[in-house]
Amino acid sequence: MGSDAYRIDHIGSTAVAGLAAKPIIDIQISVRDLNKIETLISGLASLGYHYRSDNDDLTKRYFREAPGTRRTHIHVRQAGSWSEQFNLLFRDYLRTQEEDRDQYARKKYELANRYRDQREQYVEAKTEIVWDIIKKANSWSQKIGWKPIEPDL
């Protein structure tokens, strides 16, 4: 991937021990310039990941696994951006706050049962608890002087 990748982190629910999660691995690759990722696109393609240029979220570039391989979402974000930091803070907070992690897990189960085959509704229904948790995470980050831990790779 060349020097385009500034840091690589395991994010999402599977990155938090003890948190209920779908069998999908979320990886965040932080880059210095989100508009200059040609090397990253070709590097990830050589590993079997497909660039999804139809992604509506302009804060990231998005890749998916090849058909028939383990479900993997790769989110490429600008290093230091709000969206990059949000995902790292959310993960790190849930790793240390068992009560909020368990509350989030219960809500995810409840919503998964309610919206079993309606992914968009499931994601939308999680919004309130995600924002409640990120507010707590923000206060926590100020109290402990949080900064992202060393990257996974």
Side-chain angles (χ1 to χ4, degrees):
M1 290 185 278
S3 60
D4 292 339
Y6 175 70
R7 63 181 291 145
I8 300 174
D9 293 280
H10 182 195
I11 60 168
S13 295
T14 58
V16 179
L19 181 58
K22 296 182 293 273
I24 300 170
I25 300 297
D26 286 285
I27 301 295
Q28 178 170 273
I29 300 176
S30 302
V31 297
R32 296 184 198 289
D33 187 344
L34 191 57
N35 294 313
K36 296 181 179 178
I37 64 163
E38 295 78 19
T39 303
L40 198 58
I41 291 172
S42 63
L44 287 170
S46 73
L47 296 172
Y49 295 99
H50 301 283
Y51 177 52
R52 300 287 299 267
S53 60
D54 59 342
N55 172 46
D56 291 336
D57 183 348
L58 298 180
T59 68
K60 70 179 181 182
R61 304 300 178 258
Y62 183 59
F63 296 79
R64 288 286 303 273
E65 76 286 346
T69 61
R70 183 171 182 154
R71 191 90 183 267
T72 306
H73 298 175
I74 299 179
H75 312 266
V76 179
R77 293 187 170 101
Q78 182 82 37
S81 69
W82 188 85
S83 60
E84 179 220 27
Q85 297 293 296
F86 178 99
N87 284 279
L88 296 173
L89 175 59
F90 192 79
R91 176 202 65 189
D92 291 353
Y93 178 77
L94 288 178
R95 283 178 172 176
T96 66
Q97 304 299 311
E98 184 177 351
E99 185 176 319
D100 286 324
R101 182 191 68 224
D102 292 347
Q103 178 186 11
Y104 185 46
R106 286 190 299 275
K107 181 57 99 174
K108 287 176 64 171
Y109 275 121
E110 172 194 326
L111 297 173
N113 287 327
R114 186 181 310 160
Y115 300 109
R116 186 164 305 279
D117 298 316
Q118 302 167 312
R119 185 184 186 295
E120 290 179 18
Q121 288 87 342
Y122 168 79
V123 171
E124 181 63 32
K126 286 193 318 180
T127 300
E128 184 177 350
I129 193 167
V130 167
W131 282 109
D132 288 345
I133 290 170
I134 204 65
K135 287 179 205 172
K136 292 177 185 180
N138 181 56
S139 295
W140 171 80
S141 74
Q142 293 172 19
K143 288 178 185 168
I144 68 159
W146 175 84
K147 60 183 178 186
I149 61 171
E150 288 297 312
D152 294 321
L153 291 176

